[in-house]
Amino acid sequence: MKFKEIRDGIKNSIIPAVPVPFNEDGSINDKSQKSYVKWMDQQPINCVALWAHTGRGLFLSKEQREKVFNTWREGLSEDKLILCGVGAKNIEGIDDEAYIDNAVDMAIHAKKLGADILLPYAPTLFRDRKDQDEMIIKYHKRIAEVGLPMVLFFLYEEAGGITYSQDVLRELFKIENVIGIKMATLDSVMTYQDVSNLIMEEAPDVSLITGEDRMFGYTIMRGAVGALVGLGSIYTKLQYEMMDAYYTDKYKEFIEKSIMVDNLAEHTFYKPMEGYIERVLYILAKKGIIDMEAANDPYGPLVTEEEKRRIDGFIEKLGDM
């Protein structure tokens, strides 16, 4: 597919950033992984996001990433696209070129496996440096050379991101491969609004994609033509229906479902924020989509018994959706 065809293929759709079902020892639970893929393939999606933060992409070994990718590609319908998060760990002592090379290598691996779209992680190595803007642009241009369509990722700094100035965004939007930008600026509504305005006024060919789990409905109203969210890994149909209601002018239904989605987010995305991954795995297990023994995130905090009781009550209240 050409870049425009890919962009049009994910327009007005939800792209779930999916977690990996892990056993307690940190190994991937193959049975639950396949069960989850089968369930997700039945949801109203055009694309799924692998190796993103929800899928612990930078923590997985190359072999694990390949295993995850192949399971999804084999289990998904052929017409569904796969987006892969690509980047590099910000480890002590790593130099600029090695950091970028590692990100490019991950992108090349994704392409070799058959990925359709890349999502470059925020290049945090360059944060607060004098050459920050220059290096952000260099990083993305190097990944673009791999040749796949790219969705940029603007993540607020408290969550491990880096700030892209308006001038940096203008340069990134000029890269031919860039078909969209995922915005996750939970601590700054104004930043989201400013980027939305920039796209509408100067870069209409770039799709604004919300990554805002905790203000999902508002960001759709504020210009997003799609969503790439970890929240989409659970109750996917509900979130698709909320978005579709807005895009088809069914505003009463949109408001009703937006309230439900906000409530879902408030039961999963809260401090400690890293805990959301095991919370969504727990919900998948409670819904019978994966085994409870696979509801583990070895890289984040455990779900407490109090949290489980709170989530259980919400699931019961939400009903069979």
Side-chain angles (χ1 to χ4, degrees):
M1 288 188 186
K2 296 180 180 178
F3 297 156
K4 183 179 183 299
E5 292 173 333
I6 294 284
R7 187 193 68 198
D8 293 345
I10 62 174
K11 187 175 181 182
N12 293 1
S13 69
I14 183 166
I15 303 174
V18 293
V20 177
F22 288 105
N23 297 307
E24 282 190 1
D25 64 1
S27 62
I28 296 172
N29 188 300
D30 295 332
K31 177 174 175 285
S32 287
Q33 178 76 85
K34 291 176 182 177
S35 175
Y36 183 36
V37 173
K38 182 178 180 180
W39 177 84
M40 186 59 78
D41 192 48
Q42 297 167 351
Q43 305 308 303
I45 63 167
N46 299 331
C47 181
V48 68
L50 311 181
W51 308 353
H53 184 74
T54 308
R56 294 304 193 189
L58 295 182
F59 291 89
L60 301 177
S61 68
K62 185 176 180 179
E63 292 72 25
Q64 285 178 314
R65 290 197 299 266
E66 186 162 338
K67 184 177 187 179
V68 167
F69 186 97
N70 288 337
T71 303
W72 280 94
R73 186 64 283 168
E74 291 165 9
L76 278 181
S77 301
E78 289 184 5
D79 61 331
K80 291 182 171 65
L81 304 173
I82 292 181
L83 174 150
C84 285
V86 298
K89 279 188 175 181
N90 187 359
I91 56 178
E92 186 176 353
I94 193 168
D95 64 38
D96 294 353
E97 291 305 314
Y99 182 82
I100 294 175
D101 286 346
N102 288 348
V104 171
D105 287 346
M106 191 170 173
I108 291 171
H109 187 217
K111 183 179 182 179
K112 180 180 178 182
L113 292 173
D116 300 289
I117 310 169
L118 301 178
L119 177 79
Y121 277 85
T124 54
L125 181 67
F126 311 128
R127 189 195 292 161
D128 298 328
R129 289 176 20 174
K130 289 183 179 179
D131 62 350
Q132 170 178 307
D133 290 358
E134 173 190 340
M135 295 307 296
I136 290 172
I137 295 166
K138 180 177 180 179
Y139 168 85
H140 285 92
K141 284 185 174 180
R142 284 282 311 281
I143 295 173
E145 290 173 1
V146 174
L148 289 178
M150 296 198 319
V151 173
L152 307 174
F153 187 14
F154 192 150
L155 177 65
Y156 70 107
E157 294 193 1
E158 186 181 344
I162 187 170
T163 299
Y164 300 159
S165 69
Q166 295 263 305
D167 287 339
V168 165
L169 288 173
R170 287 187 178 96
E171 290 303 309
L172 295 179
F173 290 160
K174 292 176 184 177
I175 299 173
E176 181 186 7
N177 310 50
V178 172
I179 62 170
I181 180 170
K182 168 180 170 166
M183 291 294 298
T185 56
L186 184 62
D187 66 341
S188 176
V189 173
M190 288 189 293
T191 301
Y192 185 96
Q193 293 168 339
D194 290 345
V195 174
S196 178
N197 287 331
L198 177 66
I199 289 173
M200 286 189 289
E201 294 168 7
E202 300 184 29
D205 289 337
V206 174
S207 293
L208 176 60
I209 299 171
T210 183
E212 304 289 1
D213 308 84
R214 281 293 292 265
M215 50 179 184
F216 198 157
Y218 169 76
T219 51
I220 295 295
M221 292 189 290
R222 198 57 189 77
V225 295
L228 200 173
V229 286
L231 193 68
S233 62
I234 51 174
Y235 292 97
T236 313
K237 185 171 180 285
L238 168 64
Q239 294 163 73
Y240 167 80
E241 289 174 345
M242 177 197 74
M243 296 170 61
D244 186 62
Y246 181 77
Y247 295 136
T248 55
D249 303 331
K250 299 171 185 172
Y251 297 124
K252 182 176 182 295
E253 180 184 346
F254 169 72
I255 293 297
E256 291 170 349
K257 290 195 166 149
S258 185
I259 291 170
M260 296 169 70
V261 170
D262 280 349
N263 203 354
L264 176 63
E266 289 162 17
H267 278 79
T268 47
F269 285 78
Y270 53 84
K271 293 182 179 180
M273 201 62 78
E274 280 294 286
Y276 86 86
I277 296 172
E278 188 159 299
R279 292 173 205 136
V280 298
L281 285 166
Y282 177 75
I283 291 172
L284 289 171
K286 290 294 291 187
K287 297 290 289 181
I289 298 166
I290 66 172
D291 293 335
M292 189 59 73
E293 65 186 22
N296 301 287
D297 172 31
Y299 307 105
L302 299 175
V303 178
T304 66
E305 291 303 316
E306 181 180 349
E307 286 179 304
K308 289 178 181 179
R309 286 192 293 271
R310 183 170 179 261
I311 291 171
D312 290 349
F314 175 70
I315 291 174
E316 184 177 350
K317 182 178 178 181
L318 197 55
D320 188 18
M321 299 193 71

